[in-house]
Structure formats: C-alpha cells, structure tokens
Amino acid sequence: LVDKSRRANSVVFCATGTGKTKVACERMKEVLQAKGSGKVVVLVETIPLLEQQILAIRAELSNGFGERVYGREVLVRGYCGAKMALGNNDFLALLARQDVIVVVPEYLLSLLEKLHGSLAQIDLLVLDECHHCSKEHKYMQVLRQYKNLPKDGGRPIVIGLTASLPSADSVVEAKFQIL
C-alpha cells in the first residue's frame, strides 16, 4: 500500500485497526526526510478524531524519545476553531512552525482563505475517512482547490484513508482519479 501511494494519489481501504494510519505515517516519514522541511496536512472529520489522529501520528513517528524522523524532532499539532486564533500570521508561517498539522476541513479552508494560503504549500495531504468525499462535503471543497492547482509540481500528494465502502452516490475512487 505504501508503494502504491508513492506512484500516485491513492485511497487506502482497510478494516479498522489494520494499518491505514501506519501507511500514511510511512509516507509522512518519506516526505519529511526527502524535503527536510516537508509539510503534511491531515484532514479529519471531527474533534475527537483530530485528537485520536494526533496521538496515533505522534506514536507512529516516535522512536520512544518524542516524535523523531531521521534524528530530528517532528512537530505534530492539531487545530480547530476552538483551539487556535488566526492572528496576523500567514499560512506559510503557520506551516513553518510544524511538520504535521491535523485539522478539520472547515478550518483548513478558513486558514487558506484568511491567511492567503494555497494547497501548493503542502507536500502531503491525508484525508481520514475519505469515503465522505461526495457532493458538497468540505473534503470536496478542499479537493476542488487541489484540482485548480497546476499539475506540473504544484500539487501535494493525496492519500485517502477509509474503512468504509462508499455509498452508491459516493464515488471516492472516481474523485481521486480526477486528481
């Protein structure tokens, strides 16, 4: 699964507890190592999932001495409307302060708008519970911004994670194919 995600944007479809987050974390490690200062954004559906993913990512990227990838500390932080005031920062400054940002999609969209950011400033975009990519869901609003980026190196890698089969009106794989 990790190898597939190296070649193209992909959806990791596995049962709960079988390693979807591990696959995403392996790609995070590779991006952070290759870029030296790579930036990863993980989208989650809810605040409880945000907190759960922060703990899981920290544990997966940890070597037992805090979050470390190839000898350096990896900064993992979650943001939602209740946990962070935007202030006068710009999106690049926010990204510069951490390596992995876990956020609900509404907040990412707000950050991009209010801090004049772009998905092009991200190296890896992970969509947890990506079976929600349908119709007017906030994930689709993020992916529309992605689709408008130039194809020649201006787009982050996208990995979707899900344990649920999409419903008949949700065409997750098709949505990822347009990426």
Side-chain angles (χ1 to χ4, degrees), residues 15-162:
T16 300
T18 58
K20 294 178 297 294
T21 301
K22 288 181 184 287
V23 170
C25 285
E26 283 303 310
R27 289 299 288 135
M28 289 178 205
K29 289 177 188 177
E30 292 173 0
V31 166
L32 294 172
Q33 179 190 25
K35 298 276 185 176
S37 63
K39 299 301 170 190
V40 177
V41 172
V42 179
L43 295 181
V44 296
E45 269 291 289
T46 64
I47 304 306
L49 282 175
L50 179 137
E51 293 167 355
Q52 177 185 328
Q53 281 292 33
I54 291 169
L55 293 175
I57 292 166
R58 284 180 176 161
E60 197 61 38
L61 297 181
S62 173
N63 64 358
F65 303 100
E67 305 97 67
R68 298 196 181 278
V69 173
Y70 305 102
R72 74 172 187 83
E73 184 179 5
V74 176
L75 302 173
V76 180
R77 187 132 184 228
Y79 294 106
C80 64
K83 292 192 175 188
M84 181 188 144
L86 294 177
N88 293 324
N89 295 315
D90 65 20
F91 192 61
L92 277 176
L94 175 67
L95 288 175
R97 291 193 302 270
Q98 28 274 311
D99 301 296
V100 180
I101 296 172
V102 184
V103 66
V104 293
E106 296 86 353
Y107 203 65
L108 176 63
L109 291 166
S110 178
L111 288 173
L112 292 171
E113 178 185 338
K114 292 179 181 175
L115 300 183
H116 309 291
S118 167
L119 292 176
Q121 296 164 304
I122 299 167
D123 299 301
L124 175 62
L125 178 63
V126 179
L127 285 75
D128 190 31
E129 305 289 332
C130 72
H131 55 274
H132 293 291
C133 288
S134 63
K135 298 183 182 176
E136 292 305 311
H137 190 277
K138 297 292 183 182
Y139 280 5
M140 285 307 297
Q141 292 178 28
V142 172
L143 291 177
R144 280 189 202 99
Q145 287 192 21
Y146 173 94
K147 188 177 177 189
N148 291 331
L149 293 172
K151 291 182 182 180
D152 57 351
R155 293 178 171 181
I157 301 161
V158 179
I159 299 175
L161 308 176
T162 187

Side-chain angles (χ1 to χ4, degrees), residues 1-10 12 23 27 157 159:
L1 294 172
V2 174
D3 188 49
K4 179 184 175 189
S5 72
R6 287 185 187 113
R7 294 189 305 269
N9 293 332
S10 57
V12 178
V23 170
R27 289 299 288 135
I157 301 161
I159 299 175

Side-chain angles (χ1 to χ4, degrees), residues 157-176:
I157 301 161
V158 179
I159 299 175
L161 308 176
T162 187
S164 301
L165 287 172
S167 63
D169 66 341
S170 174
V171 285
V172 174
E173 282 290 348
K175 300 293 184 192
F176 272 71

